[in-house]
């Protein structure tokens, strides 16, 4: 069996990802890493271990550093700086999502080690409640949002998947988060979101309710109060930071792209 | 229990594979349709709008419109045969009586049009997998899962009320697959889809085949929506940087081993479409299959929308929400879109040019992306051939399929047919090295995976898989 040959594939397709690929540079020499990682030790080594997503190295370097350095400094000047570099590498297209995940795992392991030394958990920036709609088992998007938020220093109450409306509403009343997220893949499960928003409004709660997932669109989410459309999981920390500074759901609907730093009002793949 | 394992290829030569023809055609008792019997059947799938699941009345009214609008368009443009697939919403599967009433309503409408126009038709009911691994009872009714009990009742209600065939997209192993997808952990992908997924398939499909056997309903088959389709969706397009396409393709090869289990339990086809493992399934089993591609743009982006049509027997739109377009409601519009493509394929068959069109479809996307390269029918056949060599062992066959897919992609890169980016190539080489380093002693591998992922994935409960 021999398939016919194609004279010139440029008239059929172009592999832009290959055409646009830059030169191979070791990750530590990239501008993203140089711009974020400190030069002083032990912070540089700690940050680079996070950049490389090496949990074992992070744990061993954190243990070494704890002999001479305060746990909070290790977190803020070392581990967090490494994660800043990872975020920049992801934004520039050098890193892919799994790189971010393994770096986040490594950083969280390092933070846990520091918290052990501190004897308490570190102060978080704010609290976010995350859930997947009732009847919906698809939780990969929610898990990514949870990971991005935790890596950025937020306290996340993860309610899991297939979560009844009342459970979500009660969690918001109890936890008083700055923000609620909901994800859904199916058209009929996402209809729980306006019901949740209505119950929160009835209870006098006016927090942003970020909704995302395969079946949702910006147009649909903006049909109910509190709702704004979340386009990509990695936007979550920037959105949380904006909410922490006082941005409400009405502004987020308009300024979303500005807040996350990229065009993001449309749906994804 | 599986009745057999695939240890030989149904197709001895990939060149014998072509759209509209399967070695083992499938006859549907109601409405006289045959799959893989020399013609390609267009399919339309439409999801109810948000809020329609609030009551049975609303859901019935929505399904009546979906079905009637599709049938009307079939009559209006002269579609000789078609399939309507209804993928259940949560409320439909969770309330078996609802599923029964809706199936009966849809069957009655189809019957009305078939009687009036003499067209051939099929009504596929895809029962939702509403089970949640971490909820009480987990994945099995015997452990106390009400969701699982409802699935079994719903399958029976659909059979009783006129479904042509029953399909599912089971979620077994998804909790581990998701972990693997987020961290590019090929072992977790292999364990989640290839091992746990296969065990869960055997559990669900043994039951589905048994229930269908009491009625005039065929046990259709599956696709790995929750696994391989997830990988493809996360991988996205050429400019995305969320997951390497090379490893997503390995996930698809692994999924073939898992999806074949439905046939090994007694399902007859056509299998479903969204994970794109279909060409491998057809090469191994000789059974007809549904595929989706360029007319599934309503549901997702795609880098192989033509290639994937090459050996289909049913041509589908994947899924679209019910709403109005300028050209009609979505069931009418998207049935027309898939039917016109099927008409092109059927014209090629009737003029003796099927293989010419097959090869044009294939070439269009063969070099666009490594996924399309691997799913071109000749390479899909190679993956199937590697799989059946270890056909009796669900771990080893999935591993062999992944390694063969890897080998095909490396060859394509070395021949400069599909040049890979550094990230794609590094990811591929790392995954292949990890796969090659894995033990070939299945019990040892399983024991290690169970221990590791029980620790790493809180939702993974070995008892859901009888482990």
């Amino acid at each position: 069996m021999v398939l016919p040959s194609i004279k010139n594939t440029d008239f059929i397709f172009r592999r832009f990802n290959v055409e646009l690929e830059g030169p191979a540079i070791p990750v530590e020499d990239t501008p993203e890493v140089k711009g974020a990682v400190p030069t002083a030790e032990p912070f540089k080594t700690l940050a680079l271990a996070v950049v490389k997503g090496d949990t074992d190295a992070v744990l061993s370097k954190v243990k070494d550093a704890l002999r001479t350095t305060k746990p909070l400094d290790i977190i803020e000047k070392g581990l967090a700086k490494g994660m800043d570099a990872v975020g920049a590498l992801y934004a520039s297209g050098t890193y892919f999502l799994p790189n971010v995940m393994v770096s986040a795992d490594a950083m969280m392991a390092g933070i846990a080690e520091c918290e052990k030394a501190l004897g308490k958990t570190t102060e978080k920036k704010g609290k976010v409640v995350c859930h997947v709609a009732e009847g919906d088992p698809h939780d990969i998007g929610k898990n990514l949002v949870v990971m991005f938020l935790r890596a950025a220093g937020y306290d996340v109450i993860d309610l899991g998947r297939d979560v009844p409306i009342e459970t979500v509403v009660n969690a918001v009343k109890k936890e008083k988060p700055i923000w609620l997220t909901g994800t859904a893949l199916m058209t009929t499960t996402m209809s729980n979101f306006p019901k949740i928003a209505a119950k929160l409004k009835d209870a006098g709660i006016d927090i942003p309710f970020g909704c995302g997932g395969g079946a949702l669109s910006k147009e649909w989410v903006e049909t109910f109060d509190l709702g704004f459309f979340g386009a990509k999981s990695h936007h979550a920390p920037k959105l949380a930071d904006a909410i922490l500074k006082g941005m409400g759901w009405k502004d987020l609907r308009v300024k979303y792209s500005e807040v996350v730093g990229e065009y993001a009002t449309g749906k994804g793949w | 229990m599986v009745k057999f394992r695939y240890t030989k290829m149904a197709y001895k030569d990939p060149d014998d594979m072509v759209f509209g023809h399967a070695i083992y055609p499938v006859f549907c008792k109601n409405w006289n349709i045959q799959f893989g019997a020399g013609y390609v059947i267009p399919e339309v799938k439409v999801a109810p709008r948000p809020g329609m699941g609030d009551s049975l009345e609303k859901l019935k009214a929505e399904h009546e419109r979906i079905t009637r609008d599709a049938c009307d368009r079939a009559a209006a443009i002269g579609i000789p045969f078609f399939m309507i697939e209804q993928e259940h919403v949560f409320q439909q599967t969770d309330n078996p009586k609802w599923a029964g009433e809706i199936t009966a309503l849809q069957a009655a409408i189809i019957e009305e049009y078939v009687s009036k126009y003499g067209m051939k038709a099929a009504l596929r009911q895809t029962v939702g997998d509403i089970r949640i691994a971490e909820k009480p009872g987990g994945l099995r009714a015997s452990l106390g899962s009400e969701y699982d009990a409802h699935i079994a009742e719903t399958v029976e209600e659909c059979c009783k009320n006129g479904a042509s065939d029953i399909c599912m997209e089971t979620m077994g192993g998804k909790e581990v697959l998701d972990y693997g997808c987020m961290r590019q952990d090929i072992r977790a992908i292999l364990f989640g889809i290839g091992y746990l997924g296969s065990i869960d398939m055997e559990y669900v499909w043994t039951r589905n085949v048994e229930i269908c056997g009491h009625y005039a309903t065929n046990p259709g088959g599956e696709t790995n929506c929750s696994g391989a389709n997830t990988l493809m969706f996360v991988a996205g397009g050429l400019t995305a940087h969320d997951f390497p396409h090379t490893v997503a393709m390995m996930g698809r090869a692994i999924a073939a081993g898992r999806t074949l289990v439905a046939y090994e339990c007694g399902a007859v086809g056509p299998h479903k479409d969204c994970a794109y493992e279909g060409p491998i399934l057809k090469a191994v089993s000789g059974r007809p299959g549904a595929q989706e591609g360029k007319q599934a743009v309503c549901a997702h982006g795609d880098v192989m929308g033509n290639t994937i049509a090459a050996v289909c027997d049913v041509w589908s739109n994947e899924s679209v929400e019910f709403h109005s377009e300028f050209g009609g409601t979505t069931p009418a519009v998207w049935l027309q879109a898939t039917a016109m493509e099927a008409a092109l394929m059927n014209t090629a068959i009737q003029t003796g040019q099927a293989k010419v069109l097959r090869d044009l479809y294939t070439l269009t996307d063969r070099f666009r992306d490594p996924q399309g390269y691997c799913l071109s029918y000749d390479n899909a056949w190679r993956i199937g051939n590697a799989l059946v060599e270890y056909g009796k062992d669900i771990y080893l066959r999935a591993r062999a399929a992944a390694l063969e897919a890897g080998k095909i992609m490396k060859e394509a890169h070395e021949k400069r047919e599909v040049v890979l980016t550094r990230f794609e190539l590094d990811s591929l080489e790392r995954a292949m090295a990890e796969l090659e380093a894995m033990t070939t002693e299945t019990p040892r591998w399983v024991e290690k995976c169970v221990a590791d992922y029980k620790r790493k994935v809180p939702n993974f409960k070995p008892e859901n898989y009888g482990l």
Side-chain angles (χ1 to χ4, degrees):
Chain A
M1 185 205 68
V2 181
L3 286 164
S5 60
I6 298 173
K7 273 191 201 161
N8 188 347
T9 56
D10 282 355
F11 289 98
I12 305 170
F13 64 84
R14 284 176 57 192
R15 281 178 57 71
F16 294 118
N17 51 340
V18 176
E19 290 177 21
L20 295 179
E21 191 175 37
I25 305 173
V27 72
E28 48 271 44
D29 295 336
T30 58
E32 292 86 352
V33 172
K34 288 194 164 201
V37 169
T39 48
E41 292 292 3
F43 307 117
K44 182 182 175 184
T45 305
L46 288 163
L48 284 177
V50 170
V51 168
K52 290 178 181 175
D54 188 339
T55 301
D56 291 344
V58 166
L59 284 173
S60 120
K61 303 293 175 197
V62 165
K63 280 175 191 161
D64 286 349
L66 280 169
R67 293 193 194 110
T68 56
T69 315
K70 289 180 191 163
L72 277 178
D73 285 345
I74 290 174
I75 295 172
E76 286 166 14
K77 296 178 187 170
L79 303 175
K81 296 294 176 196
M83 207 59 210
D84 288 347
V86 170
L89 287 165
Y90 180 67
S92 68
T94 307
Y95 262 19
F96 277 51
L97 199 53
N99 301 109
V100 183
M101 279 303 295
V102 293
S103 287
D105 285 349
M107 185 188 73
M108 298 307 283
I111 290 176
E113 200 60 32
C114 291
E115 287 177 339
K116 236 192 277 175
L118 272 172
K120 60 173 186 177
T121 55
T122 50
E123 199 179 322
K124 303 290 186 252
K125 288 187 192 169
K127 197 180 273 184
V128 184
V129 170
C130 299
H131 85 289
V132 177
E134 184 172 18
D136 209 317
H138 304 91
D139 62 350
I140 195 164
K142 183 268 296 171
N143 292 339
L144 289 169
V145 168
V146 169
M147 180 278 292
F148 278 114
L149 286 170
R150 284 186 176 149
Y154 285 89
D155 180 15
V156 180
I157 309 296
D158 181 358
L159 300 178
R161 52 185 177 165
D162 186 22
V163 187
I165 291 171
E166 286 306 326
T167 307
V168 180
V169 173
N170 290 338
V172 172
K173 286 179 181 170
K174 183 179 163 218
E175 304 290 347
K176 299 185 175 39
I178 58 164
W179 181 25
L180 168 67
T181 77
T183 52
L185 188 73
M186 292 135 87
T187 52
T188 48
T189 56
M190 71 194 204
S191 55
N192 288 320
F193 295 154
K195 294 172 190 165
I196 290 169
K199 282 181 185 284
L200 292 177
K201 276 203 83 177
D202 287 348
I205 299 169
D206 189 55
I207 56 166
F209 181 13
C211 304
L216 280 74
S217 66
K218 176 174 164 63
E219 293 70 29
W220 183 79
V221 173
E222 293 183 2
T223 60
F224 55 90
D225 284 357
L226 308 191
F228 75 93
F229 181 60
K232 290 277 184 188
S233 54
H234 71 269
H235 295 159
K238 285 182 177 167
L239 293 167
D241 291 347
I243 292 165
L244 204 57
K245 285 180 191 156
M247 193 173 275
W249 55 272
K250 286 179 189 163
D251 284 339
L252 283 165
R253 287 180 178 183
V254 180
K255 295 180 181 170
Y256 188 99
S257 292
E258 195 184 308
V259 168
V260 302
E262 61 184 358
Y263 171 73
T265 52
K267 290 186 73 170
W269 184 245
Chain B
M1 290 288 286
V2 292
K3 296 173 177 171
F4 67 98
R5 290 287 188 196
Y6 282 105
T7 54
K8 285 184 186 151
M9 297 292 282
Y11 282 94
K12 304 301 174 201
D13 181 348
D15 191 42
D16 293 340
M17 295 166 69
V18 69
F19 51 73
H21 297 268
I23 293 176
Y24 305 108
V26 173
F27 178 65
C28 264
K29 299 180 188 82
N30 43 7
W31 309 308
N32 211 23
I33 207 165
Q34 274 184 294
F35 297 94
Y39 54 97
V40 175
I41 295 161
E43 178 188 77
V44 71
K45 280 184 248 184
V46 181
R49 286 167 293 175
M52 291 298 120
D54 290 352
S55 69
L56 175 58
E57 289 66 35
K58 279 188 186 178
L59 210 49
K60 277 175 79 173
E62 191 84 337
H63 282 82
E64 175 164 8
R65 290 190 69 188
I66 290 169
T67 314
R68 207 169 274 289
D69 288 358
C71 290
D72 262 346
R73 184 58 59 97
I77 62 166
I79 300 174
F81 30 75
F82 62 96
M83 173 149 79
I84 295 176
E85 177 178 357
Q86 205 58 57
E87 291 187 328
H88 287 196
V89 297
F90 168 78
Q91 296 88 336
Q92 212 165 343
T93 298
D94 199 37
N95 296 285
K97 294 289 173 203
W98 291 24
E101 284 197 35
I102 292 166
T103 304
L105 171 73
Q106 292 186 291
I109 294 168
I110 292 172
E111 176 64 33
E112 183 189 320
Y113 281 82
V114 169
S115 300
K116 188 171 177 185
Y117 297 104
M119 55 196 30
K120 295 177 181 179
L123 174 62
R124 164 169 280 185
Q125 292 289 333
T126 294
V127 175
D129 188 354
I130 57 177
R131 301 170 300 161
I132 303 281
E134 66 273 22
K135 294 253 165 154
L139 300 181
R140 306 222 172 161
S142 58
L143 298 174
S145 167
E146 282 187 22
Y147 283 157
D148 188 37
H150 290 173
I151 290 170
E153 287 173 48
T154 292
V155 169
E156 180 128 26
E157 284 293 324
C158 292
C159 291
K160 211 188 284 180
N161 286 285
S164 308
D165 74 26
I166 293 293
C167 280
M168 279 188 74
E169 293 174 338
T170 48
M171 308 276 282
K174 181 169 171 56
E175 60 280 19
V176 177
L177 173 272
D178 280 354
Y179 174 90
C181 174
M182 291 195 292
R183 290 164 181 80
Q184 209 180 304
D185 176 347
I186 191 68
R187 190 176 61 142
I189 295 170
L190 180 58
F191 185 56
I193 298 176
Y195 195 78
L196 300 176
S198 297
I199 291 175
D200 190 52
M201 284 281 289
E202 185 171 347
Y203 166 71
V204 171
W205 278 95
T206 301
R207 184 174 68 193
N208 287 347
V209 169
E210 199 267 326
I211 296 170
C212 288
H214 297 130
Y215 301 92
T217 304
N218 288 331
E222 278 254 358
T223 188
N224 188 213
C225 179
S226 67
N229 187 30
T230 297
L231 294 174
M232 176 179 87
F233 190 80
V234 176
L238 299 178
T239 52
H241 51 281
D242 288 337
F243 196 79
H245 291 199
T246 45
V247 182
M249 181 56 230
M250 287 174 133
R252 247 178 258 274
I254 289 167
R258 166 256 181 226
T259 305
L260 281 168
V261 175
Y263 293 156
E264 292 171 334
C265 291
V268 296
H271 59 73
K272 276 172 59 71
D273 34 306
C274 73
Y276 285 46
E277 75 275 55
I280 310 169
L281 302 181
K282 186 166 179 175
V284 172
S285 71
R287 295 201 166 275
Q291 295 296 347
E292 64 185 55
K294 61 181 164 183
Q295 275 89 13
V297 286
C298 49
H300 55 71
D302 188 310
V303 283
M304 63 210 113
N306 282 292
T307 297
I308 202 68
V311 297
C312 74
D313 300 288
V314 175
W315 187 241
S316 170
N317 72 310
E318 158 67 304
S319 188
V320 66
E321 186 186 292
F322 182 79
H323 60 250
S324 286
E325 307 274 16
F326 286 149
T329 61
T330 47
V333 168
W334 290 97
L335 178 59
Q336 178 169 333
T338 56
M340 287 300 175
E341 194 66 35
L344 173 64
M345 294 189 231
N346 291 326
T347 304
I349 292 172
Q350 293 304 318
T351 57
Q353 299 180 88
K355 288 189 177 179
V356 174
L357 181 58
R358 174 198 66 183
D359 290 349
L360 290 175
Y361 277 142
T362 301
L363 283 170
T364 307
D365 310 314
R366 183 179 175 85
F367 308 114
R368 191 188 298 269
D369 186 84
Q371 298 171 95
Y373 191 84
C374 280
L375 293 173
S376 296
Y377 64 93
D378 53 333
N379 288 327
W381 187 92
R382 274 181 61 182
I383 295 170
N385 200 39
L387 186 154
V388 297
E389 195 180 329
Y390 299 91
K392 290 194 170 168
D393 186 303
I394 55 174
Y395 155 56
L396 291 179
R397 73 184 191 179
R399 174 177 174 268
L403 279 167
E404 187 66 18
K407 204 171 144 193
I408 290 168
M409 288 185 277
K410 279 205 77 174
E411 284 171 14
H413 179 73
E414 281 155 13
K415 286 192 279 183
R416 313 308 282 171
E417 289 188 333
V418 183
V419 178
L420 302 173
T421 62
R422 278 191 305 281
F423 176 75
E424 293 281 4
L425 187 60
D426 289 351
S427 301
L428 174 62
E429 286 176 341
R430 196 167 65 243
M432 286 185 78
E434 285 173 28
L435 285 166
E436 275 159 2
M438 286 175 197
T439 176
T440 51
E441 289 174 38
T442 303
R444 202 148 70 87
W445 183 79
V446 173
E447 194 184 340
K448 180 92 172 64
C449 286
V450 169
D452 283 356
Y453 294 114
K454 216 168 119 178
R455 183 169 49 82
K456 292 176 176 175
V457 184
N459 293 346
F460 169 48
K461 316 280 179 208
E463 59 269 27
N464 280 327
Y465 305 92
L467 295 171

